Amino acid sequence: MGARICQLLVVIFIQISITTGQNNDREVLQALKNYWQNTPPSWDDGSDPCGGSWDGIRCTNSRVTAITLSSMNLVGGLPGDIGGLTELQILDLSYNTGLTGSLTSQVGNLKKLTNLLLVGCGFTGPIPDSIGNLERLRYLSLNSNGFTGPIPASIGNLQNLYWLDLSANKLTGSLPVSNGSKPGLDMLTHAKHFHFGDNGLSGNIPPGLFNSNMTLIHLLFENNELTGSIPNTLGLVKSLEVVRLDRNGLSGIVPSNINNLINVTEMFLSNNRLTGVVPNLTGMSLLNYLDLSNNSFDPSVVPSWFTTLRALTTVKMQSTNLGGELPVDFFSIPQLQNVDLSDNRLNGTLSIGSNPSTQLQLVDLRTNQIASFTQRRQYSIELILVDNPLCMESGVTDKYCSLPTTTNASYSTPPNNCVPPSCSSGLVSSPNCQCAFPYMGSFFFKAPSFSSLGNYTIYASLQDQLMTFFRKANLPVDSVALKNPSRNLDDYLVINLEVYPSPGPSFNRTGIVGLGFALSNQTFKPTKDFNTYVFMSTNYDNFLPETSGGTSGTKHKSSNTGIIIGSAVGGSVLVVLLVLAAMYAFNQRKQVERTSQQTQPFAHWDQTSKSGDAPQLKGARAFTFEELKKYTNNFSETNNIGVGGYGMVYRGSLPNGQLIAIKRARQGSSQGGLEFKTEIELLSRVHHKNLVGLIGFCFDQGEQMLVYEYVVNGTLKDSLSGKSGIRLDWARRLKIALGAARGLQYLHDLADPPIIHRDVKTNNILLDERLVAKVADFGLSKPMSGANQTHITTQVKGTMGYMDPEYYMTQQLTEKSDVYSFGVVMLELITARKPIEKSRYIVREVKQAMDKNKELYGLQDVLDPTIGLSSQLKGLERFVDLALRCVEETGNQRPAMSEVVKELEGIMALGGFNPGTQSSSSTSASFETSGKDYDHPYSNDSLFAYSGGFMPPKLHPK
Ligand SMILES: *[C@@H]1O[C@H](CO)[C@@H](O)[C@H](O)[C@H]1NC(C)=O
Ligand SMILES: *[C@@H]1O[C@H](CO)[C@@H](O)[C@H](O)[C@H]1NC(C)=O
Ligand SMILES: *[C@@H]1O[C@H](CO)[C@@H](O)[C@H](O)[C@H]1NC(C)=O
Ligand SMILES: *[C@@H]1O[C@H](CO)[C@@H](O)[C@H](O)[C@H]1NC(C)=O
């Protein structure tokens, strides 16, 4: 009976939840979560997206109203489920290149949507017609995807549209215009922006596209396949400020009423097939930037009215059939910066005039018929007169008669009165000289008013505008840097942006989606001289580790439940429902208790698989599966930094910011519990400066994982191959050889029981931020168990090229097998050649090239050219001798690692290099004292300033 009442109440409860709609949104979000890779870790806390803890989700009255997840590295598509979020107003998934597939027609159900931003994703296929149902839409940005097919005519129904950006897709077909019942773009009278550039749109620009009711300010149709003439209706849209019709196949006469567009400041009609007279533009008194280049205008002289356009900064009329003499006062236009009148038939005498613009930077008059130049006085502008008669006389050496070398501005925001520190790999020094992981991307300004890139005050101004905006918007920004301004082939001004977090060194997800939205949604508006932009960001994957939002999320959830109940029902039902709610809350609390139990070390020692008691560890800690899942962003693709025989290696970060590398055994390749325990007990006792330290392990839910420190500068192999960009001179190579040798000597002589590495190779020697060598990967290591055991018989494992031939033949593994591999590493260190390259073996190659009677043993030709000048390779001969002793055929002819260390120390001393204070004997002493407690070599360094890993972080995979 009681049970039946309960059942009934549960049914009522569920129904109430459905009528409030909350459950539905929750299911949709869960579906998205399951569908996408790399959702924020906070999405794993609690099941209620409106609980307040889910990054990128905003709710009102328990309905999802905004999803902002730009630059999250999401992978997947946009499933039809999204259509269930009927209260959604903002959807910003910009800068997730991993979002692919077609745009579901279910977006048409999102009737409340005002902002749909999918900038720079990987969507393909047609833009669904249903998009025309989104009557409240104000911002539609589908730019920089792979959309195909025509622009849906239904977009014409979006009466509230303000911003329409479809640029940089693969759209084809003609521009839709209304016709009776059929909608068209001409109906978008509230739209200010038509950005359709960089597509394959074709056909005429229909006269019906424009009318006097429109309020467009930016018309960007550049780089399409539009043909026919420019319709004279364009002259009706008097609000226009930027007109880009360049790089199409437009022909015919430019309609004269274009001169009515008195507010135009930038106009590009270049690279078409326009004919007739050069258009009269006297009405455009605000015109800054004019490009009419590469058209078929009738032959004419340079129009005299140009000088009446006092705002001009840039005049480009390359190859436009201009003849006659350039007017003397042409360069007196006060703000003139760049003039390109090349490839015309200008003749007579050139005069810069007595009063040229003080901003004049570049005058390109190459390939004309100019016979003389009156003004040979000192001028600071870049003047190009190549291929004019006056430069063809013999003996002419004037500077303007040769082509200038490239004149790219190399601006980069300077440090703010501080000395930039050298940062570890992946980190960048901010203008305030803090090492951090910046959010990076590029601005593409499609119609700036200026053309000179050398005026650095412009960039300083943009910097200030950005900082002012970020502060006002309460975004966690410390500083911004602008870099490498340039013009691209579309004549867009490209400026790279780096945004630095405050506090450093990383942004959290809320910070990133806030920045992404501000830039994808054009919330940041620069001053008018920059005009419109597109921002393209790279994925950000250096997030601060999430602080667990689990408990607070749960709290929110229960209170929300209370509100729903309170507002939905009254009377006695309420009482019973409150009891249910209390039961629910109790359950939640139990769950919380469960999670806190999980963080107890060894709580998750999997005792089911006969693995005995939890292991006795020195310093290494036990992680739960859930913890490591969180630290690696659900073992995401981007955090996967390597693969080995045993499984995958992942990068992650601990809540304290320490970077870690996780070796996750593949199902099936994991060992028995006892074996695993033995291994981690052993590894946890191994502490040495030249060995990658074990931080912990996971033996939980059938998983076996080892958690190591992450070593920032990656493998020695990557440095030798030039991949990492770290230059290794002879001194550094010696230091690395000695470090690795000390690490191996420790394993052989001081670890208890001794450990044979079994897979010594340049791939397993990592370099930290100070290029200290750290030997990695003990996965294949085998301890020598008995005290007087001299070898162990095992199945042969290792890597071709490094493998001891004796071990290979006898299957008897000794320490000397590591010595052999180390000898190969030494040869690789001086030659930077792979052990086996084009079926040639490095050991034989060196032996054959060697002539002991010559200087450097005559090895100059096989040495790595980047090792340094031969005069500085002190001790190289001894180094080669040592390497060749290490690769002797039989183990007993090879030196022990301790001898190798001594000899390397000797070689370093010979070269005058400091072999480091740590002699091999003090190594053991320091181990004895510091080995008692887990003592990370850099545990006192600040967040991220230290080490860890198998490869440098992939900062921005594209
Ligand atoms: C402009 O709007 C007015 C008022 O809504 C309308 O009567 C007129 O037909 C429109 N003109 C054009 C060219 O669409
Ligand atoms: C031209 O620009 C000015 C200033 O922005 C504005 O007030 C005016 O309305 C614009 N003219 C037209 C025809 O839109
Ligand atoms: C250009 O147009 C203006 C106004 O429409 C007119 O006054 C002027 O005479 C024209 N100039 C030329 C050279 O056609
Ligand atoms: C210069 O060009 C103009 C216009 O093309 C032409 O009429 C004139 O004869 C040319 N003068 C000389 C000196 O070639």
Side-chain angles (χ1 to χ4, degrees):
M1 167 76 177
R4 285 203 31 209
I5 289 179
C6 246
Q7 260 175 18
L8 183 71
L9 287 172
V10 166
V11 169
I12 293 170
F13 182 77
I14 288 168
Q15 274 175 351
I16 291 164
S17 298
I18 287 173
T19 52
T20 63
Q22 183 207 19
N23 254 1
N24 209 16
D25 283 10
R26 191 190 289 183
E27 280 159 20
V28 173
L29 266 288
Q30 287 292 348
L32 290 180
K33 183 179 132 187
N34 294 335
Y35 198 81
W36 286 335
Q37 286 174 40
N38 303 336
T39 50
S42 58
W43 285 32
D44 301 331
D45 293 344
S47 61
D48 184 3
C50 290
S53 65
W54 283 36
D55 284 321
I57 303 297
R58 204 175 64 209
C59 296
T60 308
N61 298 329
S62 298
R63 295 299 312 273
V64 176
T65 52
I67 299 180
T68 51
L69 290 171
S70 55
S71 305
M72 285 290 112
N73 204 9
L74 295 178
V75 177
L78 192 58
D81 309 50
I82 191 87
L85 301 176
T86 50
E87 291 292 319
L88 195 63
Q89 292 164 22
I90 295 173
L91 179 59
D92 180 10
L93 302 176
S94 298
Y95 318 131
N96 289 292
T97 47
L99 289 181
T100 55
S102 59
L103 182 56
T104 170
S105 65
Q106 295 295 314
V107 291
N109 285 356
L110 306 175
K111 294 279 165 51
K112 299 265 176 79
L113 210 58
T114 58
N115 301 56
L116 177 55
L117 311 170
L118 304 175
V119 182
C121 298
F123 290 107
T124 53
I127 300 171
D129 278 335
S130 62
I131 209 145
N133 300 341
L134 307 178
E135 283 175 7
R136 296 200 184 176
L137 210 56
R138 281 175 52 73
Y139 282 83
L140 178 56
S141 292
L142 303 180
N143 44 309
S144 300
N145 280 278
F147 286 115
T148 52
I151 298 176
S154 62
I155 287 183
N157 292 327
L158 305 178
Q159 280 302 300
N160 290 301
L161 210 56
Y162 168 92
W163 180 276
L164 177 57
D165 196 337
L166 305 175
S167 54
N169 279 293
K170 293 173 185 157
L171 298 173
T172 53
S174 54
L175 298 160
V177 169
S178 68
N179 172 8
S181 59
K182 184 175 153 265
L185 298 174
D186 51 305
M187 293 159 62
L188 300 176
T189 51
H190 289 114
K192 302 270 186 203
H193 296 266
F194 278 0
H195 297 188
F196 302 165
D198 295 318
N199 277 293
L201 298 170
S202 59
N204 293 354
I205 301 177
L209 183 60
F210 304 112
N211 61 65
S212 55
N213 287 349
M214 290 184 120
T215 54
L216 280 176
I217 59 169
H218 289 177
L219 184 75
L220 305 180
F221 287 181
E222 73 279 7
N223 201 10
N224 277 288
E225 289 157 29
L226 298 169
T227 52
S229 54
I230 300 173
N232 65 0
T233 50
L234 180 62
L236 299 173
V237 191
K238 297 213 173 121
S239 49
L240 278 171
E241 294 175 7
V242 174
V243 177
R244 282 201 69 158
L245 301 177
D246 51 302
R247 284 158 229 270
N248 278 287
L250 298 171
S251 56
I253 294 169
V254 180
S256 61
N257 69 349
I258 201 170
N259 205 13
N260 297 343
L261 302 178
I262 57 165
N263 269 0
V264 167
T265 50
E266 285 80 30
M267 186 161 79
F268 296 69
L269 301 180
S270 47
N271 297 290
N272 281 294
R273 293 193 290 272
L274 298 169
T275 55
V277 295
V278 174
N280 179 350
L281 303 176
T282 50
M284 295 188 181
S285 58
L286 303 175
L287 197 61
N288 296 133
Y289 197 113
L290 176 67
D291 192 351
L292 298 175
S293 298
N294 299 310
N295 280 295
S296 311
F297 296 123
D298 294 345
S300 74
V301 297
V302 176
S304 57
W305 49 257
F306 260 123
T307 50
T308 67
L309 301 179
R310 304 305 278 173
L312 279 174
T313 66
T314 311
V315 177
K316 295 191 174 185
M317 289 187 70
Q318 182 193 67
S319 190
T320 43
N321 254 331
L322 294 177
E325 210 161 72
L326 200 58
V328 176
D329 55 355
F330 187 84
F331 298 103
S332 69
I333 299 168
Q335 328 235 12
L336 203 58
Q337 297 175 348
N338 285 11
V339 175
D340 181 358
L341 300 179
S342 61
D343 203 10
N344 282 294
R345 287 193 303 275
L346 299 172
N347 62 17
T349 300
L350 171 69
S351 167
I352 299 287
S354 56
N355 194 18
S357 154
T358 53
Q359 299 190 32
L360 203 56
Q361 295 239 322
L362 173 67
V363 176
D364 190 348
L365 296 172
R366 80 184 77 175
T367 319
N368 276 289
Q369 286 158 22
I370 297 167
S372 56
F373 177 35
T374 58
Q375 223 160 348
R376 297 183 182 224
R377 69 173 171 87
Q378 202 66 32
Y379 54 91
S380 61
I381 56 167
E382 185 100 60
L383 174 64
I384 305 173
L385 289 171
V386 173
D387 201 11
N388 277 278
L390 92 161
C391 284
M392 289 168 189
E393 292 161 19
S394 59
V396 174
T397 56
D398 295 277
K399 190 168 147 242
Y400 50 74
C401 285
S402 52
L403 282 174
T405 46
T406 46
T407 55
N408 246 358
S410 55
Y411 179 81
S412 177
T413 300
N416 188 7
N417 289 320
C418 53
V419 179
S422 71
C423 300
S424 318
S425 153
L427 291 147
V428 187
S429 173
S430 74
N432 292 332
C433 299
Q434 302 294 317
C435 292
F437 291 109
Y439 176 66
M440 303 206 268
S442 300
F443 280 114
F444 295 81
F445 295 102
K446 295 190 172 181
S449 69
F450 54 91
S451 52
S452 161
L453 299 185
N455 182 358
Y456 293 173
T457 57
I458 290 171
Y459 312 122
S461 150
L462 181 60
Q463 246 157 260
D464 289 347
Q465 294 172 42
L466 281 160
M467 275 318 291
T468 309
F469 168 80
F470 288 141
R471 289 217 179 92
K472 268 201 193 143
N474 269 325
L475 286 161
V477 175
D478 168 75
S479 51
V480 300
L482 297 172
K483 291 188 174 163
N484 305 327
S486 66
R487 287 269 180 176
N488 73 4
L489 290 176
D490 275 324
D491 213 8
Y492 301 155
L493 168 62
V494 185
I495 304 180
N496 296 338
L497 171 71
E498 292 171 0
V499 184
Y500 291 87
S502 168
S506 280
F507 286 103
N508 62 16
R509 284 178 171 75
T510 318
I512 288 296
V513 299
L515 286 170
F517 182 72
L519 296 165
S520 67
N521 191 55
Q522 310 280 319
T523 321
F524 166 67
K525 288 185 186 18
T527 48
K528 221 165 154 215
D529 43 346
F530 287 97
N531 262 315
T532 185
Y533 66 86
V534 164
F535 182 77
M536 291 290 288
S537 114
T538 43
N539 282 323
Y540 191 79
D541 58 1
N542 294 293
F543 291 109
L544 272 187
E546 307 280 324
T547 51
S548 170
T551 43
S552 71
T554 310
K555 230 184 285 161
H556 276 283
K557 178 153 55 184
S558 354
S559 68
N560 270 349
T561 317
I563 291 164
I564 297 159
I565 295 162
S567 60
V569 292
S572 60
V573 183
L574 176 64
V575 176
V576 184
L577 284 178
L578 282 176
V579 171
L580 278 180
M583 279 165 58
Y584 179 65
F586 176 71
N587 243 330
Q588 291 300 313
R589 208 171 40 235
K590 257 173 59 184
Q591 224 165 37
V592 172
E593 273 162 21
R594 241 176 280 144
T595 26
S596 69
Q597 252 174 27
Q598 284 173 9
T599 58
Q600 298 286 316
F602 313 129
H604 268 248
W605 182 248
D606 192 340
Q607 302 201 349
T608 55
S609 42
K610 292 195 207 147
S611 37
D613 296 337
Q616 301 303 304
L617 300 178
K618 291 194 167 192
R621 64 176 272 217
F623 293 93
T624 65
F625 178 67
E626 289 304 322
E627 279 173 310
L628 292 185
K629 196 171 149 190
K630 194 156 149 190
Y631 301 156
T632 56
N633 204 350
N634 205 2
F635 296 103
S636 68
E637 187 88 348
T638 35
N639 284 327
N640 183 344
I641 53 171
V643 58
Y646 46 83
M648 300 284 194
V649 186
Y650 294 88
R651 179 164 52 103
S653 55
L654 297 180
N656 70 3
Q658 180 177 4
L659 293 173
I660 52 176
I662 299 169
K663 270 177 62 180
R664 182 183 190 186
R666 190 186 298 118
Q667 297 296 333
S669 83
S670 53
Q671 333 160 11
L674 266 175
E675 252 182 299
F676 184 65
K677 185 172 119 179
T678 312
E679 182 170 355
I680 53 180
E681 278 178 347
L682 172 76
L683 293 179
S684 75
R685 287 201 300 268
V686 171
H687 293 288
H688 188 275
K689 180 183 169 211
N690 297 112
L691 297 173
V692 174
L694 183 78
I695 291 172
F697 65 91
C698 168
F699 186 64
D700 178 20
Q701 301 187 21
E703 296 270 355
Q704 291 181 0
M705 291 185 256
L706 294 172
V707 180
Y708 292 97
E709 61 174 322
Y710 185 90
V711 184
V712 286
N713 275 324
T715 68
L716 173 58
K717 186 177 184 161
D718 281 352
S719 283
L720 285 175
S721 68
K723 209 165 132 190
S724 70
I726 298 168
R727 208 182 77 82
L728 297 180
D729 60 14
W730 176 230
R732 284 179 166 176
R733 289 179 209 224
L734 280 176
K735 188 182 148 212
I736 290 166
L738 178 57
R742 282 173 173 163
L744 290 172
Q745 187 212 352
Y746 171 84
L747 290 178
H748 292 179
D749 298 349
L750 296 163
D752 179 24
I755 295 171
I756 299 174
H757 188 293
R758 279 217 293 177
D759 200 16
V760 176
K761 53 181 176 182
T762 49
N763 240 342
N764 280 337
I765 297 172
L766 308 181
L767 303 178
D768 78 359
E769 70 281 7
R770 282 173 269 172
L771 299 182
V772 171
K774 288 174 174 277
V775 178
D777 200 349
F778 305 93
L780 291 173
S781 310
K782 275 273 177 263
M784 315 262 288
S785 36
N788 36 21
Q789 193 180 350
T790 54
H791 71 267
I792 43 179
T793 308
T794 66
Q795 202 186 333
V796 174
K797 285 180 182 167
T799 303
M800 269 302 167
Y802 296 94
M803 204 182 289
D804 169 13
E806 199 179 35
Y807 163 52
Y808 185 74
M809 285 181 294
T810 63
Q811 301 192 9
Q812 292 193 347
L813 184 69
T814 70
E815 288 142 348
K816 295 294 180 67
S817 305
D818 283 352
V819 174
Y820 185 93
S821 309
F822 186 76
V824 176
V825 167
M826 287 177 75
L827 295 178
E828 210 177 329
L829 263 171
I830 55 170
T831 62
R833 296 186 187 196
K834 290 184 211 142
I836 300 174
E837 200 170 271
K838 298 186 188 123
S839 56
R840 288 151 83 178
Y841 188 40
I842 194 170
V843 175
R844 195 171 320 130
E845 289 294 301
V846 171
K847 278 182 181 165
Q848 277 174 2
M850 209 165 120
D851 179 350
K852 285 213 171 196
N853 297 319
K854 290 191 179 157
E855 202 190 340
L856 297 179
Y857 286 169
L859 288 171
Q860 284 87 343
D861 286 348
V862 296
L863 292 183
D864 180 7
T866 68
I867 197 169
L869 298 174
S870 22
S871 60
Q872 287 161 3
L873 303 181
K874 288 219 180 67
L876 184 99
E877 293 91 345
R878 266 174 78 177
F879 190 88
V880 174
D881 285 338
L882 177 63
L884 293 181
R885 279 175 62 209
C886 289
V887 295
E888 285 287 357
E889 285 297 306
T890 57
N892 49 26
Q893 290 175 282
R894 299 173 204 151
M897 263 347 273
S898 54
E899 287 173 65
V900 174
V901 167
K902 278 211 192 78
E903 178 65 6
L904 284 170
E905 283 169 352
I907 294 171
M908 283 199 83
L910 180 81
F913 308 120
N914 178 9
T917 48
Q918 196 179 37
S919 76
S920 38
S921 54
S922 73
T923 309
S924 72
S926 78
F927 167 69
E928 296 298 326
T929 51
S930 74
K932 290 195 182 84
D933 215 69
Y934 178 64
D935 185 16
H936 191 284
Y938 306 115
S939 55
N940 288 332
D941 289 7
S942 65
L943 217 59
F944 284 108
Y946 51 93
S947 60
F950 293 83
M951 265 168 61
K954 280 190 279 180
L955 235 199
H956 294 284
K958 268 247 98 171

